[in-house]
């Protein structure tokens, strides 16, 4: 399986984890914005651990985990938040897609950027 395919599988698993975690936290009475923030944090941690152990397992060196973890959070967070806003502006504000379609397109673009950043920055040789 290609590295890109593994990246997509990890992302899909993280999405499911985030939704299930959000549902569980909301059902337990944890209010907004705490429930979504914790669910998102769980998904990000899931992504990092699976990418480290599966997607880029050939590029992980012992003793470098903290640096990788910080680079992962910095790059993924920046792209996921700012990239999503910018792509939503493009797809919904300029191209006039429906917000759900625009969000799906924005997520796809951010995923592509995150793959490149993970490959070149977070898990670089």
């Amino acid at each position: 399986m290609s590295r890109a395919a593994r990246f997509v599988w990890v992302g899909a698993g993280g999405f499911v984890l985030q939704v299930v975690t959000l549902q569980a936290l909301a059902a337990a009475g944890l209010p907004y914005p705490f429930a979504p923030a914790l669910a998102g944090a769980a998904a990000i941690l899931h992504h990092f651990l699976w990418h480290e152990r599966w997607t880029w397992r050939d590029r992980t060196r012992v003793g470098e985990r903290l640096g990788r973890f910080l680079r992962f959070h910095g790059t993924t967070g920046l792209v996921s938040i700012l990239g999503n806003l910018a792509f939503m502006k493009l797809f919904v504000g300029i191209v006039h897609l429906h917000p759900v379609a625009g969000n799906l397109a924005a997520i796809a673009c951010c995923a592509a950027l995150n793959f490149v950043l993970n490959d070149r920055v977070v898990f670089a040789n």
Side-chain angles (χ1 to χ4, degrees):
M1 182 179 295
S2 73
R3 194 180 307 275
R6 289 188 302 248
F7 183 85
V8 170
W9 276 107
V10 169
F15 173 76
V16 171
L17 174 69
Q18 184 171 354
V19 170
V20 169
T21 303
L22 177 58
Q23 177 60 35
L25 293 172
L30 195 63
Y32 176 85
F34 301 109
L38 289 174
I44 290 170
L45 182 59
H46 163 274
H47 289 138
F48 174 75
L49 293 172
W50 275 101
H51 287 324
E52 185 178 61
R53 294 184 180 172
W54 189 41
T55 310
W56 281 279
R57 70 177 173 250
D58 58 318
R59 295 189 189 173
T60 56
R61 294 181 194 99
V62 176
E64 295 180 1
R65 177 174 270 174
L66 179 60
R68 279 191 306 274
F69 184 74
L70 295 173
R71 287 191 306 273
F72 181 82
H73 274 71
T75 58
T76 299
L78 184 66
V79 168
S80 296
I81 294 169
L82 297 180
N84 192 278
L85 291 173
F87 284 120
M88 285 295 284
K89 172 74 173 170
L90 170 67
F91 293 130
V92 177
I94 297 171
V95 178
H96 303 293
L97 290 179
H98 184 277
V100 173
N103 191 241
L104 290 173
I107 289 168
C109 291
C110 289
L113 285 173
N114 274 325
F115 177 80
V116 171
L117 285 170
N118 277 278
D119 194 59
R120 303 286 193 263
V121 176
V122 177
F123 296 99
N125 280 335

